[in-house]
Amino acid sequence: MVDRVTPRKLAAGNWKMNGLAAQIVEAQALARACPKPGVGVLLCPPATLLAPMAQALAGSAVALGGQDCHVAEKGAHTGDIAAAMLADAGASHVILGHSERRADHGETSAQVAAKLRSAWKAGLTAIVCLGETAEDRAAGRTLQVVGAQLTASLAEGADAANTVIAYEPVWAIGSGQTPTPEQIAEVHAFLRAHVPDAGMTLLYGGSVNPGNAAAIFAIPGVDGALVGGASLKAVDFGAIVAALEAA
Ligand code: 13P
């Protein structure tokens, strides 16, 4: 039974294009560090590591996710990965519409919405990313941009059980800069008011680390984080998980 009123707290790690087989030990160390976490713990390694990591983490509390999927179920799409393949390799989640995919591959919100349907069909929970650029924020159009991305990226049928939203300001990703607590609170309150299901988990992402995690998790409306660089080391990501448990 899905609790639609209280969003599920989630600490999600996005390894991006980092990680070889030798780094699976970090995932195992994370699993040992949080054997019975009071929050959801998710790692999204590169697709090449999903299956071996699933094997290495079998029986642990750490769930796995992909970083993207194709719209189609299968077919002639060289180099792409279908949602069912991610699920088959052990994933329960998939990140969609990350700003790096929007920038590197020209992904549009309409494509993200189509991918969402494919992800759900394969039984995956989608983590939909959105966020403004530095230019957007300077021009005072953050809520407008984030709102437009939210509306266009969410397919009909999105709810707290099948979709998580990650607010990731583009300028905060990998920069060491984070918005002020007031800025994060403002966007999260806006998202909460506009998501189709008020119980949806809303994550913050962008330069989250063990030093700032507790302060970020104390911000009203923040249900967890999508963490890049600091998720690569078990000691750092474990500390972020602990901060979320304590929040
Ligand atoms: P960093 O935590 O490295 O800033 O990356 C955030 C991110 O893009 C997670 O998806």
Side-chain angles (χ1 to χ4, degrees), residues 8 10-13 30 40-45 50 53 57 60-65 90-93:
R8 176 140 203 261
L10 177 66
L30 176 70
V41 181
L42 175 74
L43 280 182
C44 301
L50 272 176
M53 209 179 262
L57 296 181
S60 84
V62 178
L64 293 176
S92 54
H93 290 64

Side-chain angles (χ1 to χ4, degrees), residues 59-89:
S60 84
V62 178
L64 293 176
Q67 299 177 11
D68 175 51
C69 70
H70 196 273
V71 174
E73 275 179 56
K74 59 180 176 179
H77 302 287
T78 303
D80 281 312
I81 297 180
M85 294 170 180
L86 297 175
D88 189 49

Side-chain angles (χ1 to χ4, degrees), residues 12-16 95 98-100 129 166 168-170 172-177 204-209 225-231:
N14 175 9
W15 279 20
K16 309 191 179 185
I95 297 169
H98 192 282
S99 62
E100 287 152 14
C129 304
E168 299 205 303
V170 178
I173 294 175
S175 65
Q177 282 182 279
Y204 166 77
S207 296
V208 176
N209 61 48
L226 182 55
V227 184
S231 71

Side-chain angles (χ1 to χ4, degrees), residues 48-184:
T48 48
L49 292 188
L50 272 176
M53 209 179 262
Q55 206 167 10
L57 296 181
S60 84
V62 178
L64 293 176
Q67 299 177 11
D68 175 51
C69 70
H70 196 273
V71 174
E73 275 179 56
K74 59 180 176 179
H77 302 287
T78 303
D80 281 312
I81 297 180
M85 294 170 180
L86 297 175
D88 189 49
S92 54
H93 290 64
V94 62
I95 297 169
L96 294 176
H98 192 282
S99 62
E100 287 152 14
R101 291 212 56 89
R102 292 180 192 257
D104 292 355
H105 301 274
E107 268 188 26
T108 63
S109 292
Q111 285 170 324
V112 174
K115 289 180 176 197
L116 222 65
R117 290 189 204 95
S118 302
W120 296 339
K121 203 164 175 192
L124 300 176
T125 297
I127 301 177
V128 176
C129 304
L130 29 90
E132 82 286 1
T133 62
E135 221 181 6
D136 292 329
R137 182 161 282 280
R141 54 174 185 251
T142 295
L143 297 184
Q144 191 187 324
V145 166
V146 165
Q149 287 177 338
L150 180 73
T151 305
S153 302
L154 286 192
E156 181 79 36
D159 63 24
N162 62 24
T163 304
V164 169
I165 304 291
Y167 166 54
E168 299 205 303
V170 178
W171 54 273
I173 294 175
S175 65
Q177 282 182 279
T178 53
T180 64
E182 292 74 24
Q183 287 172 328
I184 296 176

